[in-house]
Amino acid sequence: MRLHRLKVTAFGPYRRTEEIDFDELSSGGIFLLHGATGAGKTSVLDAVCFALYGEVPGVRPRNRLRSDHATPDQLTEVVLELTVGGRRLELTRRPEQERPKRRGTGTTVDKHFSALRELSPSTGEWTALSRSHQEIGEEIRQLLGMSREQFCQVVLLPQGQFATFLRADATERGKLLGRLFGTDRFVGAERWLFERRGAVEDRVRAQDQRLIALAHQMRQAAGRAAAEQPPPETAPGEPELAERVLGWAAFARTAAREHADVAELALSAAESALKEAESDLEAARETAELQQRYTDAQARSAQLAAERTRYEADTERWERASAAQQVTPALDARDTAQREHEAAESARQRTAAALPDGPADADQLAQRAGRLREDLGRLDAARRAENRVNELVAARDGLDREAAADEQAERDTAAWLADWDQVRAAHQRRIDTAHEAGQRAIQLAGQLDAARTALAAARRRDELIDLERAADERLLRARETAAAARERWLELKERRLRGIAAELAGELADGEPCPVCGSAAHPAPAEPGTGHVDRDTEERAQADSLRADETRGAAEIELHTVRERLAAARETVADRPVAELAARLAELADAHDQAARAAADVHPAREAWELAEREHQRRVDAQQRASARAADLLARRETLDAELAALREQLTGLLDGEGSAAEHASRLERLAAAYTAAADAAKAASGTAERLAQAETRLTAAARGAGFDTVSQAADARLDAAGLRALRERIEEHQTRQAAVTRELADPEVLAAAALPPADPRRRRDEFDAASDRLRDAFAARQAARSRCAELDRLSAEAERQTAELAPLREEYTRLRRLAELVSGSSTENQYRMRLESYVLAARLEQVANAASLRLRRMSSGRYTLVHTDARISGRGRWGLGLRVVDAWTGTERDTTTLSGGETFFASLALALGLADVVTEEAGGVRLDTLFIDEGFGSLDEQTLDEVLDVLDGLRERDRAVGIVSHVADLRQRIPAQLEVVKGRYGSVVRQRSSAEARVGG
């Protein structure tokens, strides 16, 4: 176990949150915890113990852990991070404490809180494990292997107590060792021996009755064997009862095994018959399958013969289509040339019809189009001037529209800004309303949770009231039934006892001695009277009484459990009606929903406010921009008007009143375009006619090269890619089917099966089913015989076990009595008169003394050694718990009370460290990497202090960290890593100094 970090808040003398980094303190192996008296040094150790076990050392209550300096709103809390068992854990504990109510005035009590988390080494994230006090306590006890008392003795080494332990008498020493090593189990062993001795006596009395019951069970299990030779009649107390029962059991087992052997042979024969039937069935199925394959192949062969004519036609068609594929490119080229020529000729005729002076050749048409373009060139200057005029008119109109729009926007902005103060106030009211609703929703949520809890508790209370009433009624009936059954049993027992003479007389036989008087003559045996009760009737009544008592006990437990749960429920809600709590819950839920809906408007309200703010700023900016733009528009309009007047004067001189230049130019452009299009169409028609003639020539040559007399034959034989592929697939499918049929009809297995008579799998299946039924019957018979044998073996083994127990029971009783006296120390065989617990503690004390001496010799420079002694220290003390110290300088062995103060300190320190090692090993070898030693160093001289610190420093070799709690000023110079606790008027604080900081400061 290694401590990493401790954080305390409002704990003991600490008012604020104080955090201690044990990793930093432990880097040097030893660190010092010092401070003024009462500052809170021991409170650090208390916090470690409280985090681990939820309690502090000693008997202080948890509700006194809270700091008197803490403010009311501070919660007392301890957080400890440590590694134990290879796991990095974090423990959080808060004791039960009062705090101010979150709503209203006054205080409330927070229950004790615990939480456990684990750090994942792979992800580096903390995972919550539990918040249950019991689960966390059990987890820590299992990981540490120590109780709180053991931890406080082993990890928080209390020097004052060990000085007392060093000088204590055997009784006090035994109490401490008993707490540390948990020797209560040995006391329990003593108690168990005495109880066991009494139980053996009861077993002797009940043994015979159990043997008789086993004999009855074996008779039922034997079946036919019991009918052939019934078991002997026996009664409890007969000397040869066990031998007679075991003898008959051996006969029954033998007979049952013979029946089992017969059943085994019958099962083997049935299995052989089933295998043969299964083989015949499989052969019939295979033959039938081969014969069916032959029949199917013949049918497919006939079908293929019928399709032969179609197959040959498809083959011929595919060959002609394949040849036509060679002509396809030429056909496609001819068709393309023909379509192009028809299109070109149609375009030539259409463009010629649109001309005003009729058709002409291409050259004439091109000359006419050239003359018209020359005329267009002379109109360019007028057209440019006219276009500029239009542009200027459009620009002036645009400026007028912009000016009008700016005036309207300025009027709209002025009207909007006039209402801005009212809009801003409305948005603020909406946000405030949503905020208030949010606060109200939070308050109502807490009330709603409490109301739900109260309603659930009230419903549980009402259900438990009904359950209590029903359980009470069941208990009353169970008590009445148990009383009646007991009365019935006692009545039958009394009636049987009255007629016991007749029952004994029924067992008499001529010539056999009477079990009562011993006489072999039975002149007047008693006869059963009216209403005589036999043993079986009495035992059944006794069994009924016992079952009724068990039912009554279960009913009492059930009623007690229900009442405890009901009391817990009433503590929560008392007797408040469910309807009242449900109405209150509904009222709170409705109010919470309304508040939540209103609170949900807070974000939309803020967004609307921000949107309005942006709109306000946008309109102010737009108003400023519009004012600046109005002046600019006026100047630009005056410039456009001047340029427009000059251009209109220029156009009047160019056109001489012939209308618009654009209209005149448009007419010339349309006519020039018509002549150009007609010339192009005439040239295209001439070119396509020439290409069509060339394509016809190439097509005729390609058709003759492919084997066709005419082009039309090649065109008719053509197929597209899909048709050609489908035809080829049909041909290949026919070939594949033909090959498969040929292989099937040539298969030797198929031909051999076809030569055999028709197979009959159905008849073979019936034979197989019949064999399966016989096998099932034989298997069931074999299983029944085995079960009978197994049951007889089990019952016989039980009878033999009980018989074997009967003989050594008396010997066991004697042995148990001897052991009980031995472990209690009252036997003469116990030389030291030591109880078992004392014997175990003596062995542990011897281990502790050996472990302590290893360190004591170093601390005392080889002078002192602790030894364990079995001698009684005083006349009335315990044996075996003595401690002596051997002085190597004088060679004498003396009492530990003769040591000086400093010698007592380092001897008790060595004893504490030795005890820590032994308790750790006893607890399962849990590694303790962090130890604390509380006070005692002030009694040492300088040389001895060096020796002690060397021993403690040697613990670093085992990777341990030792914290020394001390006032000794000299230790502050010797130990660089320190944790100082400084007390003040308003609580204590801690100051931490690592080894590295000490080296830098030095």
Side-chain angles (χ1 to χ4, degrees):
M1 180 200 74
R2 178 174 289 278
L3 305 183
H4 299 294
R5 180 178 60 89
L6 175 67
K7 184 171 71 173
V8 297
T9 303
F11 182 86
Y14 303 106
R15 174 188 178 184
R16 302 178 307 177
T17 297
E18 302 292 335
E19 187 165 353
I20 301 171
D21 188 347
F22 284 110
D23 287 334
E24 183 179 287
L25 286 173
S26 303
S27 60
I30 300 179
F31 61 91
L32 177 65
L33 175 58
H34 67 94
T37 301
K41 301 185 297 298
T42 306
S43 294
V44 174
L45 311 185
D46 291 345
V48 172
C49 185
F50 177 68
L52 290 172
Y53 294 96
E55 297 178 355
V56 294
V59 294
R60 281 170 290 176
R62 285 188 302 203
N63 58 6
R64 294 298 302 157
L65 301 179
R66 181 168 174 78
S67 175
D68 294 333
H69 302 286
T71 60
D73 58 341
Q74 282 183 306
L75 288 180
T76 299
E77 182 180 74
V78 176
V79 180
L80 177 64
E81 187 177 333
L82 74 160
T83 295
V84 58
R87 299 168 61 187
R88 185 75 171 253
L89 303 176
E90 182 191 75
L91 282 156
T92 302
R93 300 271 194 183
R94 291 198 290 268
E96 183 177 291
Q97 54 191 303
E98 287 190 359
R99 61 164 176 82
K101 292 183 177 179
R102 295 188 178 91
R103 292 180 294 275
T105 60
T107 62
T108 185
V109 176
D110 271 357
K111 298 295 184 182
H112 180 63
F113 171 82
S114 298
L116 177 63
R117 300 195 304 169
E118 181 174 4
L119 181 65
S120 172
S122 58
T123 63
E125 297 180 354
W126 289 98
T127 302
L129 298 182
S130 177
R131 288 194 174 184
S132 168
H133 308 318
Q134 291 78 11
E135 289 180 0
I136 294 174
E138 183 62 26
E139 182 76 10
I140 294 302
R141 277 190 290 274
Q142 289 183 2
L143 288 173
L144 292 177
M146 290 181 285
S147 65
R148 178 177 65 90
E149 291 77 9
Q150 289 176 315
F151 178 83
C152 292
Q153 293 289 346
V154 173
V155 180
L156 312 179
L157 302 181
Q159 289 307 306
Q161 291 188 28
F162 273 92
T164 302
F165 175 77
L166 184 67
R167 300 180 177 184
D169 59 17
T171 301
E172 293 300 322
R173 194 171 289 147
K175 291 180 180 179
L176 176 59
L177 291 175
R179 289 196 303 270
L180 290 178
F181 291 106
T183 54
D184 290 343
R185 60 187 185 275
F186 299 105
V187 178
E190 298 175 15
R191 189 184 309 112
W192 178 85
L193 282 171
F194 282 100
E195 294 173 354
R196 180 67 176 169
R197 182 178 60 181
V200 169
E201 294 177 346
D202 297 335
R203 289 174 56 194
V204 171
R205 297 188 186 97
Q207 191 67 35
D208 283 353
Q209 189 63 43
R210 289 198 291 270
L211 279 176
I212 294 174
L214 283 173
H216 288 301
Q217 295 179 27
M218 285 188 285
R219 179 176 184 175
Q220 295 176 356
R224 286 188 295 173
E228 296 171 1
Q229 181 177 339
E233 295 294 333
T234 56
E238 291 185 7
E240 300 179 355
L241 183 145
E243 290 77 4
R244 293 169 64 186
V245 170
L246 293 178
W248 184 84
F251 162 76
R253 291 198 305 274
T254 302
R257 289 193 182 94
E258 291 177 355
H259 291 307
D261 292 341
V262 173
E264 195 73 42
L265 293 174
L267 177 63
S268 178
E271 289 175 345
S272 299
L274 179 64
K275 289 180 180 178
E276 184 178 354
E278 184 179 12
S279 177
D280 293 343
L281 174 60
E282 188 63 27
R285 285 175 175 170
E286 291 179 357
T287 302
E289 181 181 356
L290 291 171
Q291 290 175 347
Q292 184 63 40
R293 285 171 56 188
Y294 182 77
T295 302
D296 294 343
Q298 284 186 322
R300 293 199 302 273
S301 178
Q303 183 179 0
L304 289 171
E307 297 174 356
R308 184 68 184 178
T309 301
R310 178 186 172 188
Y311 166 72
E312 293 174 352
D314 288 345
T315 302
E316 182 181 356
R317 177 79 174 99
W318 183 81
E319 291 174 351
R320 288 179 58 80
S322 297
Q325 288 295 104
Q326 303 175 13
V327 188
T328 297
L331 279 170
D332 293 340
R334 192 276 311 272
D335 294 342
T336 299
Q338 186 172 359
R339 286 193 300 273
E340 290 175 352
H341 177 66
E342 291 173 355
E345 183 63 25
S346 175
R348 186 191 65 78
Q349 295 175 2
R350 186 174 61 255
T351 55
L355 298 176
D357 49 358
D361 58 24
D363 294 337
Q364 294 174 342
L365 294 172
Q367 292 174 0
R368 294 175 186 174
R371 288 194 297 269
L372 289 173
R373 286 192 178 87
E374 292 176 358
D375 295 339
L376 279 171
R378 290 190 292 269
L379 289 174
D380 282 345
R383 290 172 63 189
R384 285 193 297 273
E386 192 173 66
N387 289 338
R388 180 58 180 163
V389 168
N390 294 334
E391 291 175 358
L392 292 174
V393 171
R396 187 183 60 185
D397 294 342
L399 292 177
D400 293 341
R401 287 192 297 274
E402 287 182 19
D406 287 345
E407 291 177 0
Q408 182 61 40
E410 188 172 3
R411 288 193 296 272
D412 293 344
T413 300
W416 192 91
L417 292 175
D419 298 333
W420 169 240
D421 292 337
Q422 297 178 0
V423 171
R424 180 172 55 189
H427 281 295
Q428 187 61 49
R429 285 195 300 273
R430 180 181 175 187
I431 293 173
D432 294 341
T433 300
H435 271 301
E436 293 173 358
Q439 296 297 324
R440 191 166 59 257
I442 294 174
Q443 296 174 356
L444 290 172
Q447 299 176 15
L448 192 60
D449 291 340
R452 288 196 185 99
T453 303
L455 178 59
R459 286 172 175 167
R460 287 197 304 274
R461 178 202 61 203
D462 293 349
E463 292 174 358
L464 290 170
I465 289 174
D466 296 338
L467 291 176
E468 180 191 26
R469 188 181 300 110
D472 201 3
E473 293 175 356
R474 284 194 294 273
L475 176 58
L476 179 60
R477 290 195 298 270
R479 286 173 174 170
E480 293 174 351
T481 302
R486 183 169 181 80
E487 290 177 2
R488 170 68 176 165
W489 170 52
L490 294 175
E491 177 189 358
L492 293 177
K493 183 176 183 180
E494 183 179 358
R495 288 166 57 187
R496 180 182 172 224
L497 291 175
R498 288 198 298 267
I500 194 66
E503 184 175 328
L504 292 173
E507 299 177 356
L508 295 176
D510 293 338
E512 296 291 333
C514 175
V516 179
C517 64
S519 174
H522 315 298
E527 295 291 336
T530 304
H532 175 67
V533 176
D534 58 10
R535 179 191 298 273
D536 292 340
T537 303
E538 182 199 347
E539 290 178 349
R540 286 196 298 273
Q542 183 183 9
D544 292 340
S545 177
L546 292 176
R547 284 194 295 273
D549 284 340
E550 292 176 357
T551 304
R552 176 184 54 78
E556 290 176 348
I557 293 173
E558 179 187 8
L559 178 59
H560 178 69
T561 303
V562 171
R563 283 177 174 170
E564 286 184 346
R565 294 170 59 193
L566 178 59
R570 279 176 170 162
E571 286 181 2
T572 305
V573 292
D575 293 325
R576 297 181 63 185
V578 171
E580 176 186 339
L581 294 172
R584 175 59 177 164
L585 176 62
E587 179 183 350
L588 289 173
D590 183 58
H592 178 266
D593 291 343
Q594 294 178 5
R597 286 194 297 271
D601 189 47
V602 65
H603 293 296
R606 288 187 180 277
E607 292 175 356
W609 163 249
E610 293 172 357
L611 183 64
E613 283 281 359
R614 290 195 296 271
E615 179 64 19
H616 173 263
Q617 187 61 41
R618 186 188 66 79
R619 288 182 179 269
V620 170
D621 294 343
Q623 190 178 46
Q624 295 173 353
R625 289 194 301 272
S627 298
R629 195 165 51 245
D632 181 64
L633 290 176
L634 180 60
R636 288 166 58 192
R637 193 179 191 285
E638 292 176 352
T639 302
L640 290 177
D641 287 342
E643 185 179 358
L644 183 60
L647 287 174
R648 283 177 174 168
E649 183 178 355
Q650 181 182 357
L651 279 175
T652 302
L654 289 174
L655 295 178
D656 293 333
E658 291 186 2
S660 171
E663 294 174 357
H664 188 48
S666 177
R667 287 193 300 271
L668 293 179
E669 285 176 351
R670 287 195 299 273
L671 189 58
Y675 279 112
T676 301
D680 293 341
K683 290 179 181 178
S686 175
T688 54
E690 183 178 353
R691 288 196 295 274
L692 177 60
Q694 294 173 355
E696 287 285 357
T697 301
R698 287 194 294 272
L699 175 60
T700 301
R704 290 176 180 172
F708 295 100
D709 296 334
T710 63
V711 173
S712 60
Q713 289 180 355
D716 294 341
R718 276 199 313 171
L719 287 175
D720 58 12
L724 190 64
R725 184 169 56 254
L727 186 62
R728 180 59 186 169
E729 289 175 355
R730 195 160 61 240
I731 293 170
E732 291 177 349
E733 179 190 5
H734 185 277
Q735 293 172 347
T736 301
R737 290 164 57 200
Q738 182 65 55
V741 168
T742 302
R743 285 195 304 272
E744 190 76 4
L745 293 177
D747 191 338
E749 291 186 358
V750 174
L751 293 175
L756 297 175
D760 189 1
R762 182 175 298 177
R763 180 172 64 85
R764 296 297 184 186
R765 179 66 191 182
D766 294 340
E767 294 173 355
F768 175 77
D769 291 342
S772 298
D773 293 339
R774 289 192 296 272
L775 178 61
R776 273 195 303 273
D777 295 340
F779 181 78
R782 196 276 304 271
Q783 289 300 104
R786 283 185 174 180
S787 298
R788 188 175 294 111
C789 290
E791 182 66 10
L792 285 172
D793 289 342
R794 185 186 67 81
L795 294 173
S796 298
E798 180 66 17
E800 291 175 358
R801 185 186 63 79
Q802 293 189 14
T803 301
E805 288 178 355
L806 181 61
L809 276 180
R810 180 61 59 185
E811 179 183 353
E812 180 183 359
Y813 172 70
T814 302
R815 184 171 63 254
L816 288 172
R817 181 180 61 186
R818 179 185 172 191
L819 284 173
E821 294 174 352
L822 185 65
V823 299
S824 65
S826 60
S827 172
T828 57
E829 297 178 280
N830 191 330
Q831 180 181 357
Y832 292 105
R833 300 291 181 177
M834 294 173 62
R835 292 177 52 197
L836 177 61
E837 181 190 17
S838 298
Y839 180 78
V840 174
L841 291 178
R844 293 291 185 266
L845 183 58
E846 185 175 5
Q847 293 176 344
V848 171
N850 293 335
S853 293
L854 296 176
R855 296 188 175 92
L856 180 57
R857 281 194 291 270
R858 287 189 60 189
M859 293 181 187
S860 62
S861 300
R863 179 178 181 182
Y864 293 119
T865 303
L866 284 174
V867 295
H868 160 257
T869 175
D870 291 328
R872 181 178 296 186
I873 303 302
S874 62
R876 301 183 60 186
R878 291 193 184 188
W879 290 83
L881 296 180
L883 273 179
R884 306 282 288 177
V885 60
V886 177
D887 189 342
W889 290 3
T890 63
T892 59
E893 180 179 314
R894 52 193 172 94
D895 193 85
T896 55
T897 58
T898 62
L899 295 172
S900 66
E903 292 171 341
T904 299
F905 167 69
F906 64 68
S908 61
L909 175 59
L911 186 62
L913 293 174
L915 185 62
D917 291 340
V918 175
V919 172
T920 300
E921 182 178 355
E922 176 73 11
V926 177
R927 182 177 178 86
L928 300 177
D929 296 320
T930 305
L931 298 176
F932 293 92
I933 301 173
D934 192 359
E935 289 301 343
F937 291 88
S939 59
L940 302 180
D941 57 57
E942 184 174 356
Q943 180 180 355
T944 306
L945 181 60
D946 288 337
E947 296 290 347
V948 172
L949 290 179
D950 286 343
V951 170
L952 295 178
D953 192 57
L955 296 177
R956 286 191 298 176
E957 299 174 0
R958 302 170 62 182
D959 196 23
R960 279 184 174 178
V962 180
I964 297 176
V965 183
S966 179
H967 294 278
V968 178
D970 191 34
L971 290 177
R972 302 178 195 175
Q973 305 300 323
R974 296 170 179 263
I975 302 176
Q978 298 177 13
L979 180 67
E980 181 182 5
V981 182
V982 181
K983 70 177 180 180
R985 182 179 183 87
Y986 300 104
S988 298
V989 295
V990 297
R991 297 173 181 171
Q992 185 168 327
R993 183 187 186 193
S994 67
S995 300
E997 291 173 343
R999 288 192 295 270
V1000 172

